[in-house]
Amino acid sequence: MNQLLRAYKNVSPIVFESAWESPSNIAFVKYWGKKGHQIPANPSLSMSLKECCTKTKTIFSPSNELQVNLKLEGDTNPKFAQKIRNYLASLESELPWIMNLNVSIETSNTFPHGAGIASSASGLSAFALTFADYLKALNPNDDHSLFFKRASHLARLASGSACRSVFGGFSTWGASDLPEATDLYASPLEVHPDLRFLHDTVLVVNGTEKNISSTDGHGRMSDHFFAEARFSQAKVHFTICVQALKAGDIESVGKILESEALSLHAMMLTSPSAYTLLKPNTLLAIEAIWRFRRETKLPLYFTLDAGPNLHLIYPGHEKKQIELFIHHTLSPMCEKILYDVTGDGPKPC
Ligand code: DP6
């Protein structure tokens, strides 16, 4: 059994309420492909955002059976309630009392729906933090210095990328040469002071919901012709990106960022059942960014999540000229623009 949950196996449910606000994150090195249950095929690295967060209040109470009610933005949402119920039921062998729990969740996002912001990362990390709080209340004598590791572990089991949102700044997840590295939970990453705060400006090229989920996309890596090459590439990118972030080398970070985004989408285009989430304006914007960088030498780079919307990453000192370019050249190619920066991580609310 996982040692992070061992002290909670034989406790009894009580009534308890917890509320956390947790950020979304943007991956610099992507998690794309799993081995086994929520174990990543390669290490990943991301930056937590400041403004794009989910606020979640959860009330836990004893019950005859596992029941979950969930309200998203004030409206009952049976689909997400069922997702959380399935997730909690999957923890039964480690936490048998979970089947005698009533869980009532109220959740809301600080960012608009369909904006290319990973709401599963912010939403499931916020829920995992309330659940970690509950475990703390059920066994107050346990070692609570592991609170964030436990929350990250619980978040990973719900959605891989959510485990990295439990920390502010930059965080890594997955086996690597870093001292703390594990597939089980994420760890914070210290970076050079010059790169501690970066901008993430999201160009919402297309806000409609995608029809192929990330979980489905991960699945398509299992029989992908290029899978092993992709996992090796991600491991190399991870090492270079960690070194560049520590050295304050934005140019090397930017190179990895763009290569990771394009490799992620190349995997979709070349998978046995090929698909693409890119839109014509995604490519037009990429060409315009490359042109701008060639002409101005300014450090503006892009990345993509599993969707058509571009995340523009740049340091604060060149903000003025870069944001004029975004406004004049890129904004006509998108539906809306969201401005965000590196955040400090989750907080109770
Ligand atoms: C492209 O974490 O959403 O955003 O573990 O199946 O819930 P599940 O997948 P998810 O995948 C995220 C994919 C990504 C890259 C990343 O954030 O690393």
Side-chain angles (χ1 to χ4, degrees):
M1 180 198 289
N2 189 302
Q3 60 168 29
L4 286 169
L5 298 182
R6 190 177 295 144
Y8 304 94
K9 181 156 189 168
N10 298 315
V11 296
S12 306
I14 56 170
V15 179
F16 183 78
E17 181 178 317
S18 170
W20 279 82
E21 177 178 315
S22 189
S24 184
N25 69 70
I26 178 68
F28 282 31
V29 177
K30 312 288 179 185
Y31 147 60
W32 198 245
K34 312 182 191 191
K35 32 177 198 180
H37 182 55
Q38 293 299 94
I39 299 295
N42 59 263
S44 59
L45 188 167
S46 63
M47 177 177 99
S48 290
L49 301 181
K50 184 173 182 187
E51 306 296 341
C52 294
C53 296
T54 300
K55 291 180 187 181
T56 296
K57 182 175 91 178
T58 310
I59 301 171
F60 301 92
S61 48
S63 163
N64 292 333
E65 55 174 345
L66 175 59
Q67 281 178 324
V68 178
N69 306 296
L70 185 145
K71 279 189 179 173
L72 171 64
E73 318 291 354
D75 296 327
T76 306
N77 191 315
K79 189 175 132 208
F80 287 158
Q82 188 59 39
K83 224 182 146 180
I84 297 283
R85 195 195 176 281
N86 293 347
Y87 159 66
L88 291 172
S90 76
L91 299 173
E92 184 186 359
S93 61
E94 303 198 72
L95 307 172
W97 46 267
I98 218 161
M99 300 314 284
N100 297 103
L101 211 54
N102 187 300
V103 180
S104 182
I105 304 167
E106 279 176 32
T107 186
S108 60
N109 295 324
T110 60
F111 52 91
H113 184 68
I117 305 290
S119 58
S120 60
S122 53
L124 291 165
S125 59
F127 175 70
L129 284 154
T130 66
F131 191 54
D133 236 1
Y134 186 47
L135 294 180
K136 191 168 149 188
L138 292 175
N139 187 352
N141 300 324
D142 192 38
D143 176 5
H144 296 301
S145 64
L146 299 178
F147 178 81
F148 286 100
K149 285 184 180 165
R150 189 172 294 116
S152 178
H153 168 73
L154 290 165
R156 169 184 64 89
L157 294 171
S159 178
S161 54
C163 78
R164 299 184 310 239
S165 280
V166 164
F167 302 100
F170 289 81
S171 51
T172 63
W173 166 44
S176 75
D177 292 337
L178 294 179
E180 282 256 291
T182 163
D183 285 335
L184 301 183
Y185 48 81
S187 307
L189 179 77
E190 268 313 311
V191 305
H192 192 280
D194 289 356
L195 302 186
R196 179 63 186 82
F197 290 98
L198 293 176
H199 289 262
D200 177 5
T201 294
V202 186
L203 296 187
V204 184
V205 166
N206 187 309
T208 50
E209 206 165 328
K210 59 187 180 192
N211 46 14
I212 297 183
S213 71
S214 288
T215 306
D216 190 351
H218 287 288
R220 291 178 195 213
M221 286 304 287
S222 60
D223 56 351
H224 199 298
F225 192 80
F226 299 136
E228 286 313 316
R230 163 59 198 155
F231 302 147
S232 306
Q233 180 202 38
K235 285 174 195 162
V236 172
H237 280 175
F238 179 84
T239 306
I240 300 173
C241 197
V242 168
Q243 279 167 0
L245 281 166
K246 285 186 175 294
D249 176 0
I250 185 72
E251 220 174 288
S252 300
V253 173
K255 235 176 171 175
I256 298 293
L257 256 188
E258 296 191 352
S259 179
E260 278 290 300
L262 297 172
S263 293
L264 170 71
H265 286 266
M267 288 303 107
M268 300 175 199
L269 285 160
T270 53
S271 74
S273 36
Y275 67 110
T276 187
L277 301 174
L278 300 175
K279 298 287 177 205
N281 277 352
T282 314
L283 296 174
L284 285 178
I286 288 175
E287 285 183 334
I289 292 161
W290 283 339
R291 209 176 311 120
F292 173 78
R293 211 166 57 226
R294 261 198 316 274
E295 287 166 4
T296 64
K297 308 275 180 275
L298 290 175
L300 168 65
Y301 302 93
F302 70 84
T303 188
L304 292 155
D305 251 343
N309 304 317
L310 286 152
H311 289 246
L312 306 182
I313 306 290
Y314 49 96
H317 58 88
E318 305 289 1
K319 175 174 146 70
K320 216 169 159 192
Q321 212 180 325
I322 288 174
E323 292 186 354
L324 274 175
F325 164 71
I326 294 173
H327 180 73
H328 289 302
T329 308
L330 300 179
S331 70
M333 299 176 192
C334 59
E335 293 171 1
K336 67 178 160 264
I337 299 185
L338 298 178
Y339 291 90
D340 210 335
V341 291
T342 319
D344 292 331
K347 49 180 192 280
C349 58

